[in-house]
Amino acid sequence: MAVPPLALDTRLADLCQELGVDKGVASEAAALLEEGKDALLTPSSFGSKSPQDVESLCFAFVLYCAARLKGMKEESSRVRLWKILEGCNLNYDDFFKESQQFRSKIDQILRSRYGSDWEDQLELKQLQSLVNLLADASRFYRTAFTELFSSASTSKEPGSTTNSPEYFYFGWQLFLALRSKSSELFKDLVSCIHGLVAILAILLIHMPPRFRSFTIEGSSHLIKQTVRGVDLLASLCHNYHTSEDRLKEMMGKSHKAIEEFFSKKAVWASECKTETLDKIDTDGLMYFKDLLDKECFQSNLAKLEKLSTTTSWEGELDLKMFLFNNDNIVSAKNASGGPINTSYPKRVFETLASPTKTIKNMLTVPSSPASPINGGSVKIMQMTPVTSAMTTAKWFREVISSLPEKPSSKLEQFLLSCDTDLTSDITKRVSIVLEAIFPTKSSGDWGGSIGLNCTNAFDIAWAEARKLEASKLYYRVLEAICRSESLNTNVNNLTPLLSNERFHRCLIACSAELVLATHKTVIMMFPAVLESTGLTAFDLGKIIENFVRHEESLPRELKRHLNSLEEQLLESMVWEKGSSLYNSLVVARPSLAMEINRLGLLAEPMPSLDDIVTHQNIHPVDLPTTPSKKRAAGPDVDDNGDAKSPKRLCNESRNTSVNQNLQTPPPKQNQMLKAKWHPLQSTFASPTVNNPVGGNEKCAELGVNIFFSKILKLAAIRIRNLCERLRHVEQTERVYNIFKQILDQQTSLFFNRHIDQIILCSLYGVAKVSQLTLTFKEIVSNYKREQQCKPEVFRRVFVGSTNRNGALGSRHVDIIVFYNEVFVPAVKPFLVALIPCPDDKKSPNSQIPGSPKPSPFSNLPDMSPKKVSSSHNVYVSPLRQTKKDALLSPSSRSFYACIGESTHAYQSPSTDLAAINNRLNYTSRRINTRINFDVVSDSVVAGTLGQPNGGPASPDPAAAFSPLPKKGKPGPES
């Protein structure tokens, strides 16, 4: 007799006992699982994980939540994330990826149990970023150590005849111990690499020369020479693009730490006579006697292992395992962790970056030999995350650091040429905004974003250095923009632009984001700069292209980062609730105002500088007084000297804006694709202000048209790539045209959604119309191979708001439910228009190929049952009139995901339709034969159910693609 499986709560209890979880935490995890199991364990329509994997991930998530949110007081005895994942046999990569889905599924439950700030308490975003950072750092250390010490094996081998693996491990443990003593210095990748290079220098000085992969004479590793020998630090800086000054500073910190760790006093290397220092310039180097000697090596290593243990939030990770199990922690695909996307296909990147490419070009670019259509993928030479960070940091040192800390004389001329001198306004704003981004003092409660409000989040010296880099870059680009605007407008008085608060904050935020992206910080990740500056994604999107155009020396990796950033903004962030895009849309497209107001999508007014100072507890000293409020005359200027909030204007005239121009005509194509250059003052002006170069056109219309043209450009690239993967390149333009019509005439479909969701549905709709044997599962499977794919795109699509226990929340469904419930009803006219009409020269009675033969009495109701099988007594009876009225017309039903398409992932239609098959048995005998719906097309099904007697063509050509009527809603495809 088979033993019944244990209950879900019993399996969780057994896991808690195995891990030694505290009883309070175990009971909390069980309660959380019981409350949220229906949502957590519901299989996704496109899930690729087994029920056992889903259960393990669910257990790990609820255990971590309970331990982190309920067991905070018992910090020392609390079960750690690395231990939970070990017990569940999971890696970090899978856990972080799936936890995003779990968090959104039970957000309301977590909010009610632990408060609205539960997500900040979990610190999963910091942990994921730290995992990526340590994975990158350990890969760098492993590679560099192997290069310098060729006889060293980087895997611990029992009984090894060499001590090199232990030296290798010692270096990593020394790095972790340094982090525990000065963790603020290691919260970004660039600082980590400087620390690791310092460790390598210490190992080179103390390890026996026989373990080196080179000899000092003619070494390709140590090429910097002085009259006294090899300049060790300068050579390492040359090899790994580190700053020599910063490396020397890190060496000094390392020496102090080693003295504290081992109670050893450092001596000047020049006073020591040892073979490890032979032919090395010892000027400025320190040496520790007996640091790696056999007699005390093991005791020193044991001390390091204890010192590297931390009880901080970083203690959730087993930092030692990164050295030997790196590939099991995070896949190479996700190793970078940051938004710098170095693996994006070169062809796609160049198309996006080039302002001369048109949408038509993108739709017809021939496939390269390695493109998906030919079974391969475009490959380019990739930089590692470490190489990318170090080379861009070097650009900041060599190009930006030498610039003045204040506006140059040329920039001051532009500021003096305004209606009033704006120099003091500029300098004070930079100080306030950058202090909000890189806090060096205890700050107030502002925004609740990670790292922005953490006291001592950054080392003060580090934060000051980053603020200086960002301010210098800001002044440099601002000057270049002023020169360009002055040249294009033939005026030196740029008051409308230079007095615009939003413009300056966007420019500062973009400069700070590049600094953060270069250093790859753990505690501040995009969109933190938006939250600290009071901007929205739509605001920042206005400056990115101009920033790249006006800083020609910007490294390629930073350009790619901005390109990747713009993609994130365009694909989803600008469509989120609270985006200032909606404030422009209510002016540019008044017909959308009612829906925007109903969903509550409008952005709040941008906080003033005084608000930032108050909330961030900033006390700037030695700065000019509050920025002047004198601005260019105009009715749309608020008390802060900034353009009035579009939301405020909308509220003042909401009734009239909704009632007037309800049927706004779509924008003209020449407006969508006109010249790239527009005066920045028009781009950043209040939405209701008339465009100074566009006649009666509002600035909102200009901004929306530019934004929509970028959306179309990005969509064209993604549609082409996806059609290539699916081997249906001939459908590219049709899918693009549907997408374009939706953006133009059904813009509300994009609200609170991702553009890829619209692309996937457009592609499937075109496939249905074109009678292609293409399922949603095939489309999603190929979409998963795209660079930008995120599981939530097809798993969670917004379809409206719900009210649960008095709390207003959002209702999300999978992509097929969204397609059937929302997409088809809205887009049906566009899809119908794609159905080919019979040739005018043909007989009016001609028939579309594949369509059923219509009844010769099509105008008369046929009330008799019809036999649909020659070998079975199966009939189709007409529906009652009450049910007929509830059905959609054939033209509507022809586009839906319908019968024969599996309701569960990776199951055959025959499995899902077992009940129907059983009813087809004409005797009580069990018949093993079942109908195979896998190969039945829509047209065949429709033909089977049509009239067999022939007759005139159906007046509705879409009837050829009508699905079988069935009870319940359609499900996803097999």
Side-chain angles (χ1 to χ4, degrees), residues 424 427-429 431-432 619-626:
S424 63
T427 55
K428 182 165 186 174
R429 181 187 295 107
S431 175
I432 292 173
H619 303 286
V621 294
D622 300 327
L623 289 172
T625 56
T626 303

Side-chain angles (χ1 to χ4, degrees), residues 31-42 58 105-106 109:
L32 181 58
L33 178 65
E34 179 63 28
E35 191 172 356
K37 63 182 179 182
D38 291 340
L40 292 173
L41 297 175
T42 300
C58 177
K105 284 181 176 180
I106 61 170
I109 296 174

